[in-house]
Amino acid sequence: MPHTNAQPLIDLGVLSGQIGHALRRAHAAVFQDFAATLEAESIRPAQHSVLEVLRASPGLRQAQVAAALGIKTTNFVPLFDALEAAGLAERRAISDDRRARGLFLSDRGAAMLDRLRAGVAAHEARFAARLGTDGKLLLLGLLARLQDPAFD
Amino acid sequence: MPHTNAQPLIDLGVLSGQIGHALRRAHAAVFQDFAATLEAESIRPAQHSVLEVLRASPGLRQAQVAAALGIKTTNFVPLFDALEAAGLAERRAISDDRRARGLFLSDRGAAMLDRLRAGVAAHEARFAARLGTDGKLLLLGLLARLQDPAFD
DNA sequence: TATTGTTATACTCTATAACTATA
DNA sequence: TATAGTTATAGAGTATAACAATA
């Protein structure tokens, strides 16, 4: 099976066996394809994750959403500001605590996620196909172990 | 087996099954640990990859090293400038083509890689341990498939 | 005093366009 | 005309420090 690969076969030394390097390259490949998928609605992957979390878990506080996504609260502020300015999500008052506000998806945000659904699923299917049968589940399991100190 | 997890168990919706999201989180975890490992010598992961490639494949042109690492040549320039300014690597003239120059590790760069070797190996071992027996090889295989259109 | 959110800021990474000197 | 390297620049992502309002 002929496989046209433009790479001139360069020895990368230690890197070729490094988990971190392989993760960086694989993430870059998937991320680029995903960013292109989201271009139809002019949003970025990070913004898309926030919208998806709001759909699945409405009413959370900023710190909760940020922590769930591994984003610092200080960086979350401008990220969410942009979503709010675009009318895709909103901050609403909370009764108990006047410092915090609950985050919600707007109707417009929900409609956008609906429009993106097919494209996002196709993106996911493209890469799942490359992993072969059971490959995706296997990969997700290994990636989860990398982040879990319980496996130390 | 009690497993103290500070996470308040938030539903991430679609994200929890997405390859891209899992890659981003796992990469962030490994990258942060690796950056901390390299702090002893005040270099960044990207700079370390360049030095490792120069050690394994001395004399390559900039475009070759950049392509091998998935870095745009335009971004490679300031990256390598910093390494050259620090005396860790150098550009040397090539006989055939006066436009291009070959890239080499300096003695100081080689010495730095030697000093980092134990720390880098320990970093790698930490994450390999989380993956269990055969887990690392399995992971590297799956990550390679993600980047290879031959598996489409 | 501690917590939630915010501002300001800086550094790295990534991306595009346009230029130079050589080929 | 095409290629290797470079400059300029802009946008994301990520990091720390310090602050205001509220608890």
PDB file of all heavy atoms in Angstrom, chain C residues 5-16:
ATOM      1  P    DG C   5     -17.783  33.759  40.568  1.00  0.00           P
ATOM      2  OP1  DG C   5     -19.123  33.555  39.993  1.00  0.00           O
ATOM      3  OP2  DG C   5     -16.771  32.698  40.446  1.00  0.00           O
ATOM      4  O5'  DG C   5     -17.197  35.117  39.974  1.00  0.00           O
ATOM      5  C5'  DG C   5     -17.971  36.295  40.138  1.00  0.00           C
ATOM      6  C4'  DG C   5     -17.098  37.511  39.891  1.00  0.00           C
ATOM      7  O4'  DG C   5     -15.952  37.494  40.767  1.00  0.00           O
ATOM      8  C3'  DG C   5     -16.533  37.631  38.481  1.00  0.00           C
ATOM      9  O3'  DG C   5     -17.194  38.713  37.829  1.00  0.00           O
ATOM     10  C2'  DG C   5     -15.041  37.883  38.691  1.00  0.00           C
ATOM     11  C1'  DG C   5     -14.964  38.271  40.154  1.00  0.00           C
ATOM     12  N9   DG C   5     -13.686  37.993  40.790  1.00  0.00           N
ATOM     13  C8   DG C   5     -13.117  36.770  41.051  1.00  0.00           C
ATOM     14  N7   DG C   5     -11.953  36.852  41.644  1.00  0.00           N
ATOM     15  C5   DG C   5     -11.748  38.212  41.783  1.00  0.00           C
ATOM     16  C6   DG C   5     -10.660  38.917  42.353  1.00  0.00           C
ATOM     17  O6   DG C   5      -9.633  38.464  42.859  1.00  0.00           O
ATOM     18  N1   DG C   5     -10.851  40.304  42.298  1.00  0.00           N
ATOM     19  C2   DG C   5     -11.966  40.919  41.743  1.00  0.00           C
ATOM     20  N2   DG C   5     -11.991  42.243  41.767  1.00  0.00           N
ATOM     21  N3   DG C   5     -12.987  40.279  41.217  1.00  0.00           N
ATOM     22  C4   DG C   5     -12.814  38.931  41.265  1.00  0.00           C
ATOM     23  P    DT C   6     -16.897  39.046  36.282  1.00  0.00           P
ATOM     24  OP1  DT C   6     -18.040  39.824  35.745  1.00  0.00           O
ATOM     25  OP2  DT C   6     -16.469  37.787  35.640  1.00  0.00           O
ATOM     26  O5'  DT C   6     -15.641  40.031  36.343  1.00  0.00           O
ATOM     27  C5'  DT C   6     -15.792  41.259  37.049  1.00  0.00           C
ATOM     28  C4'  DT C   6     -14.453  41.928  37.249  1.00  0.00           C
ATOM     29  O4'  DT C   6     -13.578  41.067  38.012  1.00  0.00           O
ATOM     30  C3'  DT C   6     -13.672  42.195  35.962  1.00  0.00           C
ATOM     31  O3'  DT C   6     -13.940  43.534  35.571  1.00  0.00           O
ATOM     32  C2'  DT C   6     -12.201  41.991  36.367  1.00  0.00           C
ATOM     33  C1'  DT C   6     -12.278  41.569  37.830  1.00  0.00           C
ATOM     34  N1   DT C   6     -11.323  40.509  38.236  1.00  0.00           N
ATOM     35  C2   DT C   6     -10.137  40.890  38.795  1.00  0.00           C
ATOM     36  O2   DT C   6      -9.819  42.055  38.959  1.00  0.00           O
ATOM     37  N3   DT C   6      -9.309  39.840  39.164  1.00  0.00           N
ATOM     38  C4   DT C   6      -9.570  38.488  39.027  1.00  0.00           C
ATOM     39  O4   DT C   6      -8.767  37.652  39.397  1.00  0.00           O
ATOM     40  C5   DT C   6     -10.836  38.162  38.418  1.00  0.00           C
ATOM     41  C7   DT C   6     -11.215  36.737  38.217  1.00  0.00           C
ATOM     42  C6   DT C   6     -11.645  39.179  38.060  1.00  0.00           C
ATOM     43  P    DT C   7     -13.434  44.069  34.166  1.00  0.00           P
ATOM     44  OP1  DT C   7     -14.219  45.271  33.849  1.00  0.00           O
ATOM     45  OP2  DT C   7     -13.366  42.939  33.231  1.00  0.00           O
ATOM     46  O5'  DT C   7     -11.929  44.533  34.468  1.00  0.00           O
ATOM     47  C5'  DT C   7     -11.705  45.686  35.282  1.00  0.00           C
ATOM     48  C4'  DT C   7     -10.216  45.863  35.513  1.00  0.00           C
ATOM     49  O4'  DT C   7      -9.693  44.675  36.132  1.00  0.00           O
ATOM     50  C3'  DT C   7      -9.390  46.082  34.233  1.00  0.00           C
ATOM     51  O3'  DT C   7      -8.817  47.379  34.287  1.00  0.00           O
ATOM     52  C2'  DT C   7      -8.331  44.978  34.255  1.00  0.00           C
ATOM     53  C1'  DT C   7      -8.363  44.497  35.704  1.00  0.00           C
ATOM     54  N1   DT C   7      -8.048  43.061  35.887  1.00  0.00           N
ATOM     55  C2   DT C   7      -6.909  42.711  36.569  1.00  0.00           C
ATOM     56  O2   DT C   7      -6.122  43.513  37.023  1.00  0.00           O
ATOM     57  N3   DT C   7      -6.713  41.355  36.705  1.00  0.00           N
ATOM     58  C4   DT C   7      -7.531  40.346  36.238  1.00  0.00           C
ATOM     59  O4   DT C   7      -7.244  39.171  36.419  1.00  0.00           O
ATOM     60  C5   DT C   7      -8.709  40.786  35.535  1.00  0.00           C
ATOM     61  C7   DT C   7      -9.651  39.776  34.983  1.00  0.00           C
ATOM     62  C6   DT C   7      -8.911  42.100  35.395  1.00  0.00           C
ATOM     63  P    DA C   8      -8.059  48.004  33.026  1.00  0.00           P
ATOM     64  OP1  DA C   8      -8.208  49.474  33.101  1.00  0.00           O
ATOM     65  OP2  DA C   8      -8.481  47.284  31.805  1.00  0.00           O
ATOM     66  O5'  DA C   8      -6.549  47.618  33.331  1.00  0.00           O
ATOM     67  C5'  DA C   8      -6.055  47.669  34.663  1.00  0.00           C
ATOM     68  C4'  DA C   8      -4.640  47.103  34.700  1.00  0.00           C
ATOM     69  O4'  DA C   8      -4.684  45.678  34.994  1.00  0.00           O
ATOM     70  C3'  DA C   8      -3.875  47.238  33.374  1.00  0.00           C
ATOM     71  O3'  DA C   8      -2.581  47.756  33.650  1.00  0.00           O
ATOM     72  C2'  DA C   8      -3.824  45.820  32.829  1.00  0.00           C
ATOM     73  C1'  DA C   8      -3.805  45.008  34.114  1.00  0.00           C
ATOM     74  N9   DA C   8      -4.273  43.627  33.967  1.00  0.00           N
ATOM     75  C8   DA C   8      -5.391  43.193  33.314  1.00  0.00           C
ATOM     76  N7   DA C   8      -5.561  41.890  33.343  1.00  0.00           N
ATOM     77  C5   DA C   8      -4.466  41.434  34.073  1.00  0.00           C
ATOM     78  C6   DA C   8      -4.061  40.148  34.461  1.00  0.00           C
ATOM     79  N6   DA C   8      -4.731  39.042  34.154  1.00  0.00           N
ATOM     80  N1   DA C   8      -2.928  40.044  35.190  1.00  0.00           N
ATOM     81  C2   DA C   8      -2.248  41.157  35.485  1.00  0.00           C
ATOM     82  N3   DA C   8      -2.539  42.418  35.180  1.00  0.00           N
ATOM     83  C4   DA C   8      -3.674  42.496  34.462  1.00  0.00           C
ATOM     84  P    DT C   9      -1.581  48.176  32.464  1.00  0.00           P
ATOM     85  OP1  DT C   9      -0.764  49.295  32.951  1.00  0.00           O
ATOM     86  OP2  DT C   9      -2.366  48.292  31.212  1.00  0.00           O
ATOM     87  O5'  DT C   9      -0.631  46.902  32.328  1.00  0.00           O
ATOM     88  C5'  DT C   9      -0.146  46.258  33.505  1.00  0.00           C
ATOM     89  C4'  DT C   9       0.488  44.932  33.167  1.00  0.00           C
ATOM     90  O4'  DT C   9      -0.507  43.879  33.117  1.00  0.00           O
ATOM     91  C3'  DT C   9       1.195  44.900  31.794  1.00  0.00           C
ATOM     92  O3'  DT C   9       2.558  44.579  32.000  1.00  0.00           O
ATOM     93  C2'  DT C   9       0.469  43.796  31.023  1.00  0.00           C
ATOM     94  C1'  DT C   9      -0.066  42.940  32.165  1.00  0.00           C
ATOM     95  N1   DT C   9      -1.191  42.049  31.783  1.00  0.00           N
ATOM     96  C2   DT C   9      -1.139  40.725  32.169  1.00  0.00           C
ATOM     97  O2   DT C   9      -0.218  40.265  32.822  1.00  0.00           O
ATOM     98  N3   DT C   9      -2.204  39.952  31.773  1.00  0.00           N
ATOM     99  C4   DT C   9      -3.291  40.371  31.030  1.00  0.00           C
ATOM    100  O4   DT C   9      -4.175  39.581  30.739  1.00  0.00           O
ATOM    101  C5   DT C   9      -3.289  41.764  30.650  1.00  0.00           C
ATOM    102  C7   DT C   9      -4.426  42.317  29.844  1.00  0.00           C
ATOM    103  C6   DT C   9      -2.252  42.528  31.040  1.00  0.00           C
ATOM    104  P    DA C  10       3.655  44.828  30.843  1.00  0.00           P
ATOM    105  OP1  DA C  10       4.490  45.960  31.289  1.00  0.00           O
ATOM    106  OP2  DA C  10       2.968  44.885  29.528  1.00  0.00           O
ATOM    107  O5'  DA C  10       4.535  43.514  30.871  1.00  0.00           O
ATOM    108  C5'  DA C  10       4.511  42.638  32.004  1.00  0.00           C
ATOM    109  C4'  DA C  10       4.681  41.211  31.535  1.00  0.00           C
ATOM    110  O4'  DA C  10       3.370  40.614  31.333  1.00  0.00           O
ATOM    111  C3'  DA C  10       5.426  41.087  30.194  1.00  0.00           C
ATOM    112  O3'  DA C  10       6.362  40.026  30.289  1.00  0.00           O
ATOM    113  C2'  DA C  10       4.314  40.751  29.211  1.00  0.00           C
ATOM    114  C1'  DA C  10       3.385  39.933  30.091  1.00  0.00           C
ATOM    115  N9   DA C  10       2.013  39.830  29.598  1.00  0.00           N
ATOM    116  C8   DA C  10       1.242  40.827  29.068  1.00  0.00           C
ATOM    117  N7   DA C  10       0.042  40.427  28.699  1.00  0.00           N
ATOM    118  C5   DA C  10       0.031  39.081  29.012  1.00  0.00           C
ATOM    119  C6   DA C  10      -0.948  38.084  28.873  1.00  0.00           C
ATOM    120  N6   DA C  10      -2.154  38.300  28.350  1.00  0.00           N
ATOM    121  N1   DA C  10      -0.636  36.833  29.285  1.00  0.00           N
ATOM    122  C2   DA C  10       0.579  36.613  29.800  1.00  0.00           C
ATOM    123  N3   DA C  10       1.584  37.466  29.989  1.00  0.00           N
ATOM    124  C4   DA C  10       1.240  38.705  29.567  1.00  0.00           C
ATOM    125  P    DC C  11       7.617  39.914  29.315  1.00  0.00           P
ATOM    126  OP1  DC C  11       8.765  40.575  29.960  1.00  0.00           O
ATOM    127  OP2  DC C  11       7.146  40.373  27.984  1.00  0.00           O
ATOM    128  O5'  DC C  11       7.900  38.349  29.225  1.00  0.00           O
ATOM    129  C5'  DC C  11       7.278  37.436  30.139  1.00  0.00           C
ATOM    130  C4'  DC C  11       6.742  36.225  29.410  1.00  0.00           C
ATOM    131  O4'  DC C  11       5.340  36.424  29.083  1.00  0.00           O
ATOM    132  C3'  DC C  11       7.439  35.925  28.076  1.00  0.00           C
ATOM    133  O3'  DC C  11       7.815  34.559  28.064  1.00  0.00           O
ATOM    134  C2'  DC C  11       6.383  36.236  27.026  1.00  0.00           C
ATOM    135  C1'  DC C  11       5.102  35.915  27.799  1.00  0.00           C
ATOM    136  N1   DC C  11       3.867  36.561  27.244  1.00  0.00           N
ATOM    137  C2   DC C  11       2.716  35.777  27.074  1.00  0.00           C
ATOM    138  O2   DC C  11       2.747  34.568  27.382  1.00  0.00           O
ATOM    139  N3   DC C  11       1.591  36.352  26.582  1.00  0.00           N
ATOM    140  C4   DC C  11       1.582  37.646  26.267  1.00  0.00           C
ATOM    141  N4   DC C  11       0.454  38.162  25.787  1.00  0.00           N
ATOM    142  C5   DC C  11       2.749  38.465  26.435  1.00  0.00           C
ATOM    143  C6   DC C  11       3.863  37.881  26.925  1.00  0.00           C
ATOM    144  P    DT C  12       8.895  34.016  26.951  1.00  0.00           P
ATOM    145  OP1  DT C  12      10.025  33.397  27.667  1.00  0.00           O
ATOM    146  OP2  DT C  12       9.150  35.076  25.954  1.00  0.00           O
ATOM    147  O5'  DT C  12       8.058  32.866  26.246  1.00  0.00           O
ATOM    148  C5'  DT C  12       7.281  31.967  27.056  1.00  0.00           C
ATOM    149  C4'  DT C  12       6.168  31.385  26.232  1.00  0.00           C
ATOM    150  O4'  DT C  12       5.157  32.371  25.959  1.00  0.00           O
ATOM    151  C3'  DT C  12       6.615  30.831  24.866  1.00  0.00           C
ATOM    152  O3'  DT C  12       6.340  29.447  24.851  1.00  0.00           O
ATOM    153  C2'  DT C  12       5.775  31.611  23.858  1.00  0.00           C
ATOM    154  C1'  DT C  12       4.597  32.073  24.702  1.00  0.00           C
ATOM    155  N1   DT C  12       3.885  33.281  24.229  1.00  0.00           N
ATOM    156  C2   DT C  12       2.551  33.171  23.883  1.00  0.00           C
ATOM    157  O2   DT C  12       1.937  32.117  23.931  1.00  0.00           O
ATOM    158  N3   DT C  12       1.963  34.347  23.470  1.00  0.00           N
ATOM    159  C4   DT C  12       2.557  35.582  23.375  1.00  0.00           C
ATOM    160  O4   DT C  12       1.920  36.556  22.991  1.00  0.00           O
ATOM    161  C5   DT C  12       3.952  35.625  23.746  1.00  0.00           C
ATOM    162  C7   DT C  12       4.684  36.934  23.680  1.00  0.00           C
ATOM    163  C6   DT C  12       4.541  34.491  24.155  1.00  0.00           C
ATOM    164  P    DC C  13       6.834  28.549  23.627  1.00  0.00           P
ATOM    165  OP1  DC C  13       7.078  27.191  24.147  1.00  0.00           O
ATOM    166  OP2  DC C  13       7.899  29.263  22.914  1.00  0.00           O
ATOM    167  O5'  DC C  13       5.545  28.511  22.683  1.00  0.00           O
ATOM    168  C5'  DC C  13       4.267  28.280  23.259  1.00  0.00           C
ATOM    169  C4'  DC C  13       3.186  28.333  22.188  1.00  0.00           C
ATOM    170  O4'  DC C  13       2.699  29.682  22.043  1.00  0.00           O
ATOM    171  C3'  DC C  13       3.640  27.879  20.797  1.00  0.00           C
ATOM    172  O3'  DC C  13       2.700  26.931  20.312  1.00  0.00           O
ATOM    173  C2'  DC C  13       3.650  29.174  19.973  1.00  0.00           C
ATOM    174  C1'  DC C  13       2.564  29.985  20.683  1.00  0.00           C
ATOM    175  N1   DC C  13       2.680  31.460  20.520  1.00  0.00           N
ATOM    176  C2   DC C  13       1.558  32.208  20.140  1.00  0.00           C
ATOM    177  O2   DC C  13       0.492  31.610  19.935  1.00  0.00           O
ATOM    178  N3   DC C  13       1.658  33.545  20.007  1.00  0.00           N
ATOM    179  C4   DC C  13       2.826  34.155  20.245  1.00  0.00           C
ATOM    180  N4   DC C  13       2.866  35.474  20.100  1.00  0.00           N
ATOM    181  C5   DC C  13       3.987  33.415  20.635  1.00  0.00           C
ATOM    182  C6   DC C  13       3.874  32.085  20.764  1.00  0.00           C
ATOM    183  P    DT C  14       2.853  26.244  18.878  1.00  0.00           P
ATOM    184  OP1  DT C  14       2.196  24.933  18.960  1.00  0.00           O
ATOM    185  OP2  DT C  14       4.248  26.371  18.424  1.00  0.00           O
ATOM    186  O5'  DT C  14       1.936  27.185  17.955  1.00  0.00           O
ATOM    187  C5'  DT C  14       0.586  27.400  18.304  1.00  0.00           C
ATOM    188  C4'  DT C  14      -0.050  28.364  17.325  1.00  0.00           C
ATOM    189  O4'  DT C  14       0.426  29.701  17.579  1.00  0.00           O
ATOM    190  C3'  DT C  14       0.264  28.067  15.847  1.00  0.00           C
ATOM    191  O3'  DT C  14      -0.962  27.889  15.162  1.00  0.00           O
ATOM    192  C2'  DT C  14       1.019  29.298  15.363  1.00  0.00           C
ATOM    193  C1'  DT C  14       0.564  30.360  16.343  1.00  0.00           C
ATOM    194  N1   DT C  14       1.522  31.464  16.544  1.00  0.00           N
ATOM    195  C2   DT C  14       1.084  32.763  16.353  1.00  0.00           C
ATOM    196  O2   DT C  14      -0.049  33.041  16.016  1.00  0.00           O
ATOM    197  N3   DT C  14       2.041  33.729  16.578  1.00  0.00           N
ATOM    198  C4   DT C  14       3.349  33.534  16.959  1.00  0.00           C
ATOM    199  O4   DT C  14       4.098  34.484  17.126  1.00  0.00           O
ATOM    200  C5   DT C  14       3.741  32.151  17.140  1.00  0.00           C
ATOM    201  C7   DT C  14       5.134  31.831  17.548  1.00  0.00           C
ATOM    202  C6   DT C  14       2.814  31.193  16.928  1.00  0.00           C
ATOM    203  P    DA C  15      -0.958  27.538  13.594  1.00  0.00           P
ATOM    204  OP1  DA C  15      -2.156  26.715  13.360  1.00  0.00           O
ATOM    205  OP2  DA C  15       0.392  27.026  13.252  1.00  0.00           O
ATOM    206  O5'  DA C  15      -1.178  28.947  12.868  1.00  0.00           O
ATOM    207  C5'  DA C  15      -2.354  29.704  13.152  1.00  0.00           C
ATOM    208  C4'  DA C  15      -2.349  30.977  12.303  1.00  0.00           C
ATOM    209  O4'  DA C  15      -1.486  31.945  12.924  1.00  0.00           O
ATOM    210  C3'  DA C  15      -1.842  30.774  10.875  1.00  0.00           C
ATOM    211  O3'  DA C  15      -2.852  31.085   9.926  1.00  0.00           O
ATOM    212  C2'  DA C  15      -0.637  31.674  10.738  1.00  0.00           C
ATOM    213  C1'  DA C  15      -0.740  32.614  11.939  1.00  0.00           C
ATOM    214  N9   DA C  15       0.585  32.890  12.477  1.00  0.00           N
ATOM    215  C8   DA C  15       1.522  31.974  12.873  1.00  0.00           C
ATOM    216  N7   DA C  15       2.637  32.502  13.292  1.00  0.00           N
ATOM    217  C5   DA C  15       2.434  33.868  13.156  1.00  0.00           C
ATOM    218  C6   DA C  15       3.243  34.976  13.426  1.00  0.00           C
ATOM    219  N6   DA C  15       4.476  34.878  13.900  1.00  0.00           N
ATOM    220  N1   DA C  15       2.722  36.209  13.175  1.00  0.00           N
ATOM    221  C2   DA C  15       1.474  36.298  12.692  1.00  0.00           C
ATOM    222  N3   DA C  15       0.623  35.324  12.402  1.00  0.00           N
ATOM    223  C4   DA C  15       1.169  34.122  12.656  1.00  0.00           C
ATOM    224  P    DT C  16      -2.487  31.039   8.317  1.00  0.00           P
ATOM    225  OP1  DT C  16      -3.739  30.671   7.641  1.00  0.00           O
ATOM    226  OP2  DT C  16      -1.268  30.234   8.121  1.00  0.00           O
ATOM    227  O5'  DT C  16      -2.139  32.559   7.963  1.00  0.00           O
ATOM    228  C5'  DT C  16      -2.952  33.597   8.482  1.00  0.00           C
ATOM    229  C4'  DT C  16      -2.607  34.919   7.798  1.00  0.00           C
ATOM    230  O4'  DT C  16      -1.504  35.539   8.487  1.00  0.00           O
ATOM    231  C3'  DT C  16      -2.190  34.785   6.336  1.00  0.00           C
ATOM    232  O3'  DT C  16      -2.771  35.848   5.593  1.00  0.00           O
ATOM    233  C2'  DT C  16      -0.677  34.882   6.378  1.00  0.00           C
ATOM    234  C1'  DT C  16      -0.460  35.795   7.580  1.00  0.00           C
ATOM    235  N1   DT C  16       0.808  35.544   8.314  1.00  0.00           N
ATOM    236  C2   DT C  16       1.552  36.621   8.745  1.00  0.00           C
ATOM    237  O2   DT C  16       1.225  37.778   8.554  1.00  0.00           O
ATOM    238  N3   DT C  16       2.702  36.281   9.412  1.00  0.00           N
ATOM    239  C4   DT C  16       3.161  35.003   9.683  1.00  0.00           C
ATOM    240  O4   DT C  16       4.198  34.837  10.290  1.00  0.00           O
ATOM    241  C5   DT C  16       2.331  33.931   9.199  1.00  0.00           C
ATOM    242  C7   DT C  16       2.747  32.510   9.438  1.00  0.00           C
ATOM    243  C6   DT C  16       1.208  34.244   8.540  1.00  0.00           C
TER     244       DT C  16
END
